[in-house]
Amino acid sequence: GYQPCDPQIICNRVNHVQTCLEELEELAAKRRKELEDSRQLWTFFQEMEEAEAWIREKEKILAAKSCGRDLSSVVTLTNKHKTMLGELGNRRALLHQTMKKGEKILAKKSFSSVGIQEKMREVCLRWKKLEEVTGLHQQRLEDAMNFFQFSAETDDLVAWLQDMYRIVSSDDFGHDDYSSQALLRKHRAVVDEVEKHRGAVMSLRKQLALLAPDHRQGVDVQIRVVEVEQLYGEVAEVAVLRTQWLQDALAVYRMFSEVHACEVWVDEKEQWLEKMEVPEELDEVEVVQHRVQVTGSPFPRVAADPGGLHPISGRVSPRSCSPTPSWNRVVELVESKKSQLSSVLKIQNFLLEC
């Protein structure tokens, strides 16, 4: 009872199966595309959420508005800020890529564009605000850096001026000609250094004007500048006074040297006059008489009075500038020898005439 199947029926069944398979493949492809679009959408939202979280974290850090308490802390905060700027650049590139992904999703029109556009607009606004706050914080750090740098340089200048004041106000004027000359050379070098710093002191007000208003309008920093200018004026004034005092001291010690030389000469002449014997020959009498007259020349007075207010005025006594008892003794001996020589000379001339 076998009856063969109609070939057309078999062809129809085969065609039906193929059609069903093609429809299934189309549905699978469509489903795959929808899933891929959904994955891209949620990846976009996840990346945007991460960007927002990072922005919130940095906003909290910048909200502290800490600019340091001194130069060291400002340098540390500046280095941290530079690191954050590097992170900001990297995040900017990632956010730019995420925005491109969002634009592609909008171009496909597979999903509602309202949520995507709103998220993109919100993140862009927060990012723009973050960049503005970052710029303001960087400006505050730069202002703080300039202020603390100015303060540090001012403190260094004050310390240097205080050291110079101790040097130029020293009461050491030497103890002799050589030491006074050495001190005067050193002091002139100090005066040159003080003069070199005049420009730095005079430029303080210009530097102060370049600081941020919050810093330059502070009472303490303005008082500090005035103190530096006054201290420099005192140092320069005392330096000029010390120069004059060292020159006076040098003149006094040179006078001491001259007086000592005179005293040695007087002692030598006193000994010579005491040991001298009056000769009897006419030629010898005339030679000795000439030497005695030279010895009896007026004693030189040395005018070197530093004044009663000079630090070394107490070291100068009237004896230093006036004839000594030894000189008076020499004068007496000279007069005595002159009298003896005159008598001998008269006798020799009388004998010669006879």
Side-chain angles (χ1 to χ4, degrees):
Y2 168 77
Q3 297 218 355
C5 183
D6 187 356
Q8 186 62 40
I9 295 175
I10 295 174
C11 289
N12 291 338
R13 294 289 299 274
V14 171
N15 290 333
H16 177 70
V17 172
Q18 288 179 346
T19 301
C20 290
L21 181 60
E22 289 175 358
E23 290 177 357
L24 181 61
E25 289 177 349
E26 289 177 2
L27 289 173
K30 183 181 179 181
R31 176 65 175 168
R32 181 181 182 85
K33 183 178 179 301
E34 291 175 349
L35 289 172
E36 183 64 28
D37 291 342
S38 179
R39 185 187 66 80
Q40 292 178 358
L41 176 65
W42 292 111
T43 300
F44 165 77
F45 279 117
Q46 182 180 359
E47 291 178 355
M48 295 299 279
E49 289 293 338
E50 291 176 355
E52 281 188 303
W54 188 86
I55 292 173
R56 285 193 296 270
E57 178 187 354
K58 299 307 175 185
E59 284 176 345
K60 290 180 181 179
I61 295 175
L62 295 174
K65 296 183 180 180
S66 175
C67 295
R69 301 179 303 275
D70 50 27
L71 185 60
S72 171
S73 59
V74 172
V75 171
T76 302
L77 291 175
T78 301
N79 292 333
K80 290 182 179 179
H81 188 73
K82 289 180 180 179
T83 303
M84 195 188 76
L85 290 178
E87 295 177 1
L88 193 68
N90 297 332
R91 281 287 177 178
R92 185 185 295 108
L94 294 174
L95 183 61
H96 186 65
Q97 294 176 1
T98 304
M99 290 294 181
K100 284 186 176 181
K101 292 178 182 179
E103 292 173 358
K104 289 180 181 180
I105 294 173
L106 290 174
K108 292 179 180 180
K109 298 181 180 180
S110 301
F111 305 95
S112 174
S113 62
V114 178
I116 299 174
Q117 290 177 345
E118 183 66 25
K119 178 62 70 174
M120 291 175 65
R121 183 167 52 253
E122 180 182 349
V123 174
C124 284
L125 289 175
R126 297 196 69 170
W127 183 266
K128 184 177 180 181
K129 182 180 178 181
L130 177 64
E131 288 187 329
E132 291 176 356
V133 173
T134 302
L136 291 175
H137 186 65
Q138 182 174 1
Q139 185 61 47
R140 288 197 300 269
L141 285 174
E142 291 177 357
D143 293 341
M145 175 73 78
N146 293 333
F147 171 72
F148 287 118
Q149 185 69 37
F150 173 79
S151 299
E153 292 176 356
T154 303
D155 292 342
D156 292 342
L157 188 56
V158 168
W160 183 85
L161 286 173
Q162 290 174 345
D163 290 339
M164 291 300 102
Y165 188 84
R166 283 192 290 271
I167 292 174
V168 299
S169 61
S170 171
D171 58 354
D172 182 13
F173 297 95
H175 55 277
D176 55 18
D177 187 357
Y178 178 78
S179 60
S180 294
Q181 284 183 342
L183 288 174
L184 185 58
R185 284 195 299 269
K186 291 180 180 179
H187 181 69
R188 285 171 178 169
V190 171
V191 171
D192 291 341
E193 287 296 321
V194 172
E195 186 62 30
K196 288 179 181 178
H197 283 74
R198 179 183 296 275
V201 175
M202 296 298 103
S203 66
L204 286 178
R205 292 190 178 271
K206 294 182 180 178
Q207 296 178 27
L208 180 63
L210 296 176
L211 297 178
D214 293 341
H215 296 299
R216 69 169 176 263
Q217 293 175 0
V219 177
D220 293 340
V221 68
Q222 294 181 3
I223 293 176
R224 190 66 164 169
V225 171
V226 173
E227 289 177 349
V228 173
E229 292 174 343
Q230 292 178 348
L231 180 58
Y232 180 83
E234 292 175 3
V235 171
E237 182 179 355
V238 175
V240 172
L241 187 60
R242 179 170 171 78
T243 300
Q244 184 61 48
W245 282 356
L246 282 171
Q247 291 174 347
D248 293 344
L250 182 60
V252 169
Y253 287 126
R254 285 177 176 172
M255 179 268 294
F256 286 165
S257 298
E258 294 174 0
V259 169
H260 177 69
C262 290
E263 290 177 345
V264 171
W265 181 85
V266 167
D267 291 340
E268 292 177 353
K269 296 305 177 181
E270 181 181 4
Q271 294 177 8
W272 175 72
L273 288 171
E274 289 178 348
K275 296 179 180 180
M276 185 192 73
E277 296 181 359
V278 178
E280 296 181 358
E281 298 296 330
L282 181 61
D283 294 341
E284 294 179 358
V285 169
E286 291 178 348
V287 173
V288 172
Q289 186 181 33
H290 176 72
R291 292 181 63 184
V292 170
Q293 288 176 350
V294 172
T295 302
S297 298
F299 184 83
R301 291 181 61 86
V302 182
D305 183 8
L309 298 178
H310 197 281
I312 68 166
S313 58
R315 306 180 193 177
V316 182
S317 62
R319 178 181 177 277
S320 303
C321 306
S322 305
T324 63
S326 298
W327 173 251
N328 295 333
R329 173 61 179 165
V330 168
V331 171
E332 293 176 359
L333 291 173
V334 166
E335 295 300 325
S336 174
K337 296 299 181 181
K338 279 184 179 181
S339 177
Q340 296 178 15
L341 288 170
S342 177
S343 300
V344 173
L345 187 60
K346 288 179 181 180
I347 293 174
Q348 293 295 330
N349 288 331
F350 174 77
L351 293 176
L352 183 62
E353 290 176 359
C354 294

